[in-house]
Each structure stands twice: as structure tokens, then as C-alpha cells.
Amino acid sequence: MRDVPVRPGSYWMEYGDDTARPRPPDGLDVDVAVIGAGIAGICTAWELARAGRTVALLEAHRVAAGVTGHTTAKLSALHGNVYQRLRSTRGAQGAALYARSQQDAIGHVVAVCQELGIDCDLERFPAFTYAETAKEAHTVEAEAEAAREAGLPASYVKETGLPFPVAGAVRVEDQALFHPRKYLYALVADLERRGGQVFEGTRIVGLREGEPCRLTTEDGRTVSARDVVVATHYPVFDRSLLFARLKPHRELVVAGVIPAGQDPLGMYLTPEGTTRSVRTAPYGEGQRLLIVTGEKFTPGAGRVGERYERLETWTTQRFPDVRLTHRWAAQDNEPTDGVPFVGALHPRARHSFVAAGFNSWGMASGVMSGKLLAARITGEKLPWTDLYDPVRLKPLKEAPSLMRFQAAAAGHFVGDRLPFVTGGGRASAIPPGGGAVLRSGARHVAVHRDEAGELHALSARCTHLGCLVRFNDAERTWECPCHGSRFGTGGEVLQGPAVHPLERVHDIEEDDDA
């Protein structure tokens, strides 16, 4: 396998500032505490500050540096073949409300950019869901009809701006592309001008609901708030069993420079295979940055390097003049019925809220979540509030996905512990840069060998619910296949729902079984 000739790291992450934001003072008291400074958390905090609330935005790492910093940044209401599914599971009215809410979010970004004078490379383009095979073209044609019935400006076409033929495509007009961190940094700056407080390096590990609610950080500080919003991508506090209704997946991204004249002038997605998504962004005079996403897989599925190569090969075959420059990965969660969970954290919650399950469409859905949650907290109700309510549970509609999600998680929880899964080999067989789960007596140990040859050993039990982690060979991380938690090779939490690091193990030897 040849190396992908690109530097690892998200293109979006190259933009930012060096502002050092502190941890909160112990005993901080605000109207609303928002946990998570991705697009959903930032938009929620900003909307509430604009409504006159005192707000604390609490981020475990850095602002807009998690999933939001690794997106493909499409602002679109066309989400694959979602409208056929919604028409079946939520009815024609539900599909129409979904379309309205997503279109409203796009319009809101445009309006906010004008209001605050934000230069975030905002561009308006059509969005396409396309098929390359005649069989899939029938599905795409049906999606065009469903999207049109839901109120989108959708049509079925057989010609696109792609440099290869398609069998058919849904086309929805006047969608948008933008630079997410340029937009969100501007919102954070305005949030702080309005008196909002932003804290980084602040992992929240405890939530006591009440009046007020009380949050606890990993270093023992407390924050009190009348209302709390959990916007941590995958909920770190799960009191409505959302972990059973969300399935994590990762997707890879490669990006490279193409001549501006080869821009396909739109955003494209095919659900065929392991998906392919195409868009471009401004990149200097006479050039565009081509961004291609695909190779969807469950965290911990392995052979990530091979998946990158497949995505690179597809990109260079379809766009022969591309000069690849970047690669990165994104993660999201699929909800059981295809609709994000935005609203009350659990059935009895009065002052705790959640936003989760954006299923690879987090830009428009994150903006939508900010408006919806701010409205709920300030006593308003948007037309689509009930559509997204996490408390909803429609057993007949959700049962097939619910059973599929939990069967997969149970398979990992039980099957990964069988001897033949982790046996066969020794720590001495792990190459520099590699990792494996070893059996050391009755326990499972996650062992990584760094480039200098030193072994680093951790408990292989995810600190969320105890599933066994697996090694990602391309990103050199430990990943939980059950609920998507990710850890560095030193055990540190990179991505929740886990909030505690993997425990270090100190007695692994070269001849331990692997």
C-alpha cells in the first residue's frame, strides 16, 4: 500500500487564533451552561446571549476543533435519500417540517453573515444526490419526488457538473457552502462581546439536575446554571437512553487543489457503496480546493490506511488533475429514525437539553439546533420542535434500526472478548506505529508501539460502558466500536461519550500474548 501523499490534518483547522481561554472559576453561576463548543453548542450559546441570557460555553478541548473542525461544511437540506424515509416514518407533514427547518437554518446563516459582516467564504450552489447505476437511479428519482413534496426546490436531472456521467440525480437549488471555523469564530467573538463566557480545557464529568443545575469538571470545579445544554456530539450524559438510539460512524476526507475551470459547481453525494461526497472551496487565484469524503465505517473497524488509499484512488481517477494536499477524518452518529435528537434530555427534564444525531449533516442541523434550543429555553416553540424532540419514541417505526444498532453493540461487547478474537501473536510482533489488543491473564490490554520502539499499554476497556477498544492504524488512536469514544495512545479522551481516560497498565512485556 503506497502512502497517501498528503499531510494529515483538516484544512479548516488551519484557520483559527491563539487566544488562550481559561477554565471557569469554581462556583461560576450563569443562566445557561452549554457543554461543547462545536457548531451546535456555539450557535446555541450565541442565540441565548443575543436573547439576553448570561451564558457559559464549556469546551473540553478547543473551540470548533472537534467534529465541527473536521466536517465537509455543506449547508444543505438535501440529505441523501432522507425524504423517502421521513415520508414513511414521520409522514408527509414530518418530511415537510424537516425540509423547512433545514432551509431555515441555511437562510439563518446567510442573514447572520450579513448582520455581523462575517466573511466565511459563503457561496450558494445547488446540491445533488446522484446515482451511477440504473438500479440506484430509480431510488434517486423517487427521492426527487419526495423532496419536492416536502417543499424543496428539487428536480430530477441526468446532467451534472461532475466530470463523469451519472445515471440520475436529485438537484436542489440555492444551497450553501462555507468555512465553518471562520463563521463560528465570528460568533464566538460576538458572544463574548455580549458578555458570554467561553472556557476551554474544561471537561464536564458530572451533572446534577435541579434548580439550579450543577455541573462538575474533571478537576472538581462546579458551575451552576438554571438551564444546561449537552451539545457534545454524542451525549456525555445519557438519561433518555440515547446511546441505544445512536450508531457512530467515521468517514474519511481527502482534499486537493484543482484548476478553477474544473470546479463541478455544486455539492454532490452518492449513497452507493461506502458513499462519496464532493464539494470545493476557494483556494487562491485560479484554483479551488476539491474536498472528497467517503469510506464510511464503524469506529475501530481497522485497516483505515487502506480505506484512505481507496478514497485517494477514486479521487485521482475522477479528477485526474487534482494535486492532493490534505487528509482527515470525521465522525457522526446515525439516529434510529433518521431525525436528530434536539430538545429535553429525558422525559422528566425541565432544565436540561441535548442536541445529537446529526448523521453527517451537522452544519445545517447544528444551526437549527441553536435556534430550537434557544427558543425552548426562552419560552418559545418553533414549528418543528416536536419533530426533533428526543423524548419521542415510536416503537414500530424505530424498532428495526434500534434492534440493528443494539445487535451490533452487543456483538462487539461479547464477541470481542472471545479468545480467538484477541489471541494469536505477541507484543513483540507489534511494529513501530502499530497497536493491538493483548490478553494478559484475564484482562485485555491496548498496546501501542511508538516510532522509537517503546510500548505504551492501557486498559482496553472503554470507560463509557466497557466495550473493548480497537486500534486505528492511520490516525493512531484507540476507538470504541460500540458508541464511538476515541482515545489517544496515552489514554486521553479525544472524543466522547467517554469522559474518563483509559487506565494505564505498567507491566506489559515483549513476550505477552497478542
Side-chain angles (χ1 to χ4, degrees):
M1 183 184 73
R2 60 190 174 90
D3 292 334
V4 178
V6 296
R7 60 182 179 270
S10 165
Y11 167 70
W12 313 121
M13 292 295 292
E14 294 176 2
Y15 176 86
D17 63 36
D18 296 325
T19 302
R21 295 184 172 88
R23 292 183 173 89
D26 189 26
L28 177 68
D29 188 7
V30 292
D31 292 335
V32 187
V34 179
I35 310 170
I39 189 167
I42 292 172
C43 289
T44 301
W46 181 75
E47 298 282 355
L48 287 164
R50 192 165 67 156
R53 299 298 195 269
T54 59
V55 180
L57 180 61
L58 306 157
E59 168 57 41
H61 298 293
R62 298 299 304 274
V63 166
V67 174
T68 295
H70 295 79
T71 176
T72 48
K74 296 177 179 179
L75 283 164
S76 174
L78 181 64
H79 299 169
N81 293 323
V82 72
Y83 290 100
Q84 295 173 82
R85 181 178 182 180
L86 287 174
R87 189 169 57 183
S88 173
T89 61
R90 308 303 294 272
Q93 182 180 10
L97 286 171
Y98 186 90
R100 282 180 59 195
S101 67
Q102 299 292 319
Q103 288 282 77
D104 177 80
I106 298 168
H108 190 57
V109 171
V110 174
V112 170
C113 286
Q114 294 172 345
E115 175 187 341
L116 300 182
I118 301 174
D119 180 4
C120 60
D121 301 334
L122 184 69
E123 300 176 304
R124 304 305 293 266
F125 281 115
F128 298 83
T129 297
Y130 72 91
E132 293 190 69
T133 64
K135 179 180 179 181
E136 189 64 26
H138 294 298
T139 302
V140 168
E141 187 172 11
E143 181 66 12
E145 178 187 355
R148 214 169 28 245
E149 288 181 0
L152 293 181
S155 59
Y156 179 69
V157 299
K158 294 188 176 182
E159 298 291 334
T160 72
L162 292 169
F164 52 86
V166 303
V170 187
R171 174 177 175 138
V172 172
E173 306 297 337
D174 210 25
Q175 305 299 282
L177 299 168
F178 74 150
H179 191 304
R181 280 169 61 89
K182 289 182 179 180
Y183 179 75
L184 294 173
Y185 267 89
L187 285 196
V188 168
D190 193 62
L191 167 66
E192 292 175 322
R193 282 193 293 269
R194 296 173 184 271
Q197 300 178 76
V198 182
F199 303 101
E200 295 179 325
T202 303
R203 185 175 299 281
I204 303 299
V205 298
L207 165 60
R208 191 187 73 186
E209 296 180 74
E211 296 186 14
C213 299
R214 177 168 291 183
L215 301 174
T216 305
T217 70
E218 64 182 344
D219 62 357
R221 306 180 193 211
T222 61
V223 176
S224 297
R226 182 180 185 276
D227 296 293
V228 169
V229 174
V230 181
T232 55
H233 187 250
Y234 199 115
V236 293
F237 302 114
D238 192 1
R239 299 175 185 184
S240 56
L241 297 181
L242 290 185
F243 74 88
R245 302 163 70 192
L246 290 169
K247 180 183 178 183
H249 62 258
R250 286 186 75 71
E251 293 184 84
L252 306 181
V253 186
V254 297
V257 180
I258 58 172
Q262 296 180 17
D263 188 347
L265 301 175
M267 58 191 88
Y268 299 86
L269 173 76
T270 178
E272 294 176 307
T274 54
T275 75
R276 292 292 183 265
S277 167
V278 175
R279 65 154 288 184
T280 64
Y283 199 79
E285 187 68 27
Q287 300 181 115
R288 299 282 292 183
L289 187 71
L290 176 72
I291 301 171
V292 178
T293 308
E295 294 298 317
K296 183 182 293 187
F297 62 97
T298 301
R303 297 186 176 181
V304 179
E306 293 180 13
R307 298 176 193 275
Y308 267 119
E309 177 144 349
R310 285 198 294 270
L311 188 61
E312 181 206 19
T313 298
W314 186 93
T315 302
T316 55
Q317 287 177 345
R318 301 305 177 93
F319 297 87
D321 293 332
V322 67
R323 177 173 57 83
L324 292 173
T325 56
H326 298 75
R327 73 173 184 180
W328 67 90
Q331 186 160 315
D332 215 331
N333 303 294
E334 177 188 351
T336 43
D337 64 354
V339 178
F341 300 115
V342 185
L345 182 60
H346 57 84
R348 294 185 302 278
R350 297 295 178 266
H351 297 286
S352 55
F353 304 87
V354 68
F358 297 151
N359 202 22
S360 299
W361 299 104
M363 296 297 98
S365 291
V367 175
M368 177 278 298
S369 297
K371 289 191 66 178
L372 190 157
L373 292 174
R376 286 207 58 169
I377 290 170
T378 57
E380 302 177 35
K381 184 176 181 179
L382 301 182
W384 39 83
T385 297
D386 293 340
L387 174 72
Y388 292 100
D389 190 348
V391 177
R392 72 184 187 264
L393 181 62
K394 301 181 181 299
L396 294 179
K397 302 294 186 182
E398 291 192 47
S401 293
L402 193 65
M403 293 175 64
R404 176 167 50 89
F405 290 2
Q406 290 315 296
H412 290 301
F413 190 86
V414 176
D416 288 358
R417 287 165 166 75
L418 298 176
F420 65 80
V421 175
T422 51
R426 294 187 181 279
S428 58
I430 299 174
V437 173
L438 316 188
R439 293 180 63 87
S440 179
R443 64 182 175 178
H444 295 82
V445 183
V447 180
H448 164 68
R449 187 186 299 278
D450 64 26
E451 293 296 345
E454 184 178 352
L455 293 176
H456 302 270
L458 307 163
S459 168
R461 290 173 58 89
C462 176
T463 56
H464 176 228
L465 290 178
C467 292
L468 296 186
V469 298
R470 297 179 179 181
F471 192 66
N472 179 323
D473 61 333
E475 299 175 80
R476 299 190 181 181
T477 55
W478 294 104
E479 299 176 348
C480 175
C482 291
H483 305 108
S485 296
R486 302 176 65 244
F487 305 86
T489 54
E492 67 275 15
V493 178
L494 301 178
Q495 194 161 345
V499 296
H500 300 292
L502 297 178
E503 180 185 354
R504 290 182 179 271
V505 176
H506 300 287
D507 57 349
I508 291 297
E509 303 294 339
E510 289 283 350
D511 60 353
D512 277 338
D513 291 340

